[in-house]
């Protein structure tokens, strides 16, 4: 069931969102996209005459810690929603229960970080380093047991459950998955954001318009093996970009200087190339690189063939010939997935390749292609270059998007559908 089929008038909704947003040292939010992305769902509930209990995590705390408190986002959330959002200093306990019970239509309560409790993740904390296997097993059993009470308590705050936390949908946690079983099928649903994300993933996995091009960046091929393998049976073109380029180049016998490389993954790189060939996938690799004599924005730079990088130099971005080749493939595509920049885009002098890829995607999108950008740094890239509005969809998911594209069933999605 989708949120549009539900009337929230007089109902209390527990809405799991992913407000895991980056904060600077003064606790200012440096990127509020995930908060903005949840607004349509929150506003629909309020417009219907419902009230909301918001649950989220922030970071990976190992217990209560001011640094990870959701109070830091309270003011901004109130501004975005246009409603004075209340706050419960603890997601469990008296305060949360009393405030949730007293909520009136149109009111919103934000609960403190759910991960202040080990029960949210269902993993034991504080185990001694020398704990025996039995002690570990007992601690695991204990937290799984208390997780039931924790989950039940969260569920007791509301009449219905809405999951709009796509960014956390790959975690089988209390508030993202287990809680769903405390609501019958007519009272649990996805929010608008979740719906949009799932549809976007579907367009690159199932409803593919060809040619389909995936641009995979990132420094390590090892962290992208499963996704690349799954994509090999879907894509027409697979562009390999970013640091993992050099593992491929070295595997083929090229000279890569001191470029980043996973020496134990050379065979894997060759194997992926072989698989691509067998499947008729056009694997597109860089032919030239922008190289630097230090890992620094101010290093000396020059361009050279990607397999002729001199000793003491490292590739930090693609070169102009590669930009042209990549852009050409992208502009001729009808479905595009971009995950990971072409170079060290945090350094201004090595952003050119990523910008060129982003611009080619925008042009293809103008010509009717569907483009999905997601997974951490590529999102930061399109935002940095002001290209976000020119692509079809920018995902709020990092790991969740990657797991979805690997073809995995995400627990947060399965729990609603069960
Ligand atoms: C993310 O930022 O990818 C999500 O909020 C999930 O966070 P996690 O990796 O700590 O579970």
């Amino acid at each position: 069931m989708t949120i549009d089929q539900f009337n929230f008038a007089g109902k209390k909704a527990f809405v799991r969102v992913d407000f895991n947003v980056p904060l600077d040292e003064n606790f200012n939010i440096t990127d509020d996209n995930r908060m903005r992305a949840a607004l349509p769902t929150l506003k629909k509930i309020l417009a219907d005459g419902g009230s909301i209990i918001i649950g989220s995590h922030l970071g990976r705390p190992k217990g209560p810690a001011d640094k990870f408190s959701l109070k830091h986002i309270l003011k901004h959330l109130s501004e975005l929603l246009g409603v004075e959002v209340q706050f419960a200093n603890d997601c469990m306990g008296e305060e949360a229960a009393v405030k949730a019970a007293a909520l009136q239509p149109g009111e919103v309560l934000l609960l403190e970080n759910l991960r202040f409790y080990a029960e949210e993740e269902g993993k034991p904390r504080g185990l001694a380093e020398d704990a025996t296997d039995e002690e570990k097993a007992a601690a695991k059993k204990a937290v799984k047991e208390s997780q039931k009470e924790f989950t039940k308590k969260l569920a007791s705050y509301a009449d219905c459950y809405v999951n709009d936390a796509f960014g956390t949908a790959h975690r089988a946690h209390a508030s993202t998955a287990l809680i769903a079983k405390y609501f019958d099928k007519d009272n649990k649903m996805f929010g608008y954001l979740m719906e949009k994300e799932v549809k976007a993933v579907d367009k690159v996995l199932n409803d593919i318009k060809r040619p389909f091009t995936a641009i995979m960046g990132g420094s390590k091929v090892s962290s992208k093996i499963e996704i690349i393998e799954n994509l090999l049976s879907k894509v027409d073109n697979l562009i390999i970009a970013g640091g993992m380029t050099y593992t491929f180049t070295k595997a083929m016998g090229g000279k890569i200087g001191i470029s980043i490389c996973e020496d134990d993954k050379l065979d894997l790189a060759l194997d992926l190339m072989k698989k691509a060939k067998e499947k008729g996938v056009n694997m597109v690799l860089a032919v030239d690189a922008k190289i630097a004599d230090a890992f620094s924005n101010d290093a000396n730079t020059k361009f050279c063939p990607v397999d002729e990088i001199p000793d003491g130099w490292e590739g930090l971005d693609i070169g102009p010939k590669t930009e042209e080749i990549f852009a050409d493939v992208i502009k001729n595509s009808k479905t595009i997935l971009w995950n990971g920049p072409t170079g060290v885009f945090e350094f201004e002098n090595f952003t050119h390749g990523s910008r060129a890829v982003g611009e080619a995607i925008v042009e293809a999108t103008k010509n009717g292609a569907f483009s999905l950008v997601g997974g951490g740094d590529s999102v930061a890239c399109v935002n940095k270059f002001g290209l976000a509005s020119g692509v079809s969809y920018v995902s709020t998911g990092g790991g969740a998007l990657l797991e979805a594209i690997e073809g995995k069933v995400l627990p947060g999605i399965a729990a609603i559908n069960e």
Side-chain angles (χ1 to χ4, degrees), residues 131-352:
T132 62
D133 285 349
E134 281 99 76
E135 283 166 341
K136 283 184 195 157
K140 197 168 168 197
K141 194 165 167 231
V143 77
K144 287 283 175 207
E145 236 0 90
S146 54
Q147 190 181 42
K148 287 183 196 146
E149 287 313 306
F150 177 88
T151 315
K152 214 164 148 185
K153 180 88 190 258
L154 287 181
S156 74
Y157 298 153
D159 306 303
C160 54
Y161 170 67
V162 180
N163 190 346
D164 216 16
F166 179 74
T168 329
H170 57 318
R171 307 289 183 213
H173 292 171
S175 68
T176 60
L178 306 184
I179 192 171
K181 71 166 181 283
Y182 293 95
F183 296 90
D184 64 42
K185 72 173 183 13
D186 297 329
N187 286 309
K188 56 184 163 193
M189 66 214 89
F190 298 124
Y192 290 124
L193 174 63
M194 196 73 138
E195 226 186 308
K196 278 203 289 190
E197 298 270 6
V198 169
K199 280 191 182 145
V201 170
D202 192 57
K203 284 197 165 166
V204 300
L205 287 188
N206 303 315
D207 180 21
I208 305 167
K209 307 269 179 303
R210 298 198 176 274
F212 175 15
T213 298
I215 305 122
M216 300 303 298
S219 55
K220 290 184 174 169
V221 59
S222 55
S223 64
K224 299 280 164 83
I225 302 171
E226 288 175 55
I227 187 166
I228 290 180
E229 287 197 329
N230 195 39
L231 284 171
L232 282 178
S233 55
K234 313 255 177 211
V235 297
D236 302 288
N237 306 300
L238 178 64
I239 294 179
I240 299 289
M244 69 171 126
T245 302
Y246 307 101
T247 303
F248 283 87
T249 308
K250 186 164 178 183
M252 288 185 289
K255 274 188 65 196
I256 60 164
I258 53 166
S259 304
I260 187 168
C261 178
E262 285 177 285
D263 282 310
D264 59 337
K265 295 289 177 293
L266 301 180
D267 287 343
L268 171 74
L270 291 176
D271 187 49
L272 289 173
M273 290 176 76
K274 188 167 154 253
K275 280 190 180 145
K277 202 166 173 199
E278 282 164 9
K279 290 182 184 286
V281 171
N282 174 30
M283 196 183 249
V284 190
L285 288 154
V287 296
D288 61 350
K290 183 169 187 182
I291 60 171
D293 62 358
F295 188 76
S296 151
N297 188 46
D298 308 319
N300 295 309
T301 63
K302 56 185 176 183
F303 295 108
C304 79
V306 74
D307 54 356
E308 289 176 23
I309 302 178
D311 292 343
W313 291 72
E314 59 187 311
L316 295 188
D317 197 8
I318 54 174
K321 288 191 190 125
T322 306
E323 276 184 17
E324 230 174 89
I325 294 169
F326 284 7
D328 196 48
V329 172
I330 292 167
K331 285 179 197 166
N332 286 303
S333 303
K334 285 281 169 266
T335 302
I336 302 162
L337 168 69
W338 185 19
N339 171 259
T342 64
V344 186
F345 86 106
E346 300 86 334
F347 295 158
E348 205 49 49
N349 290 333
F350 301 96
T351 55
H352 206 274

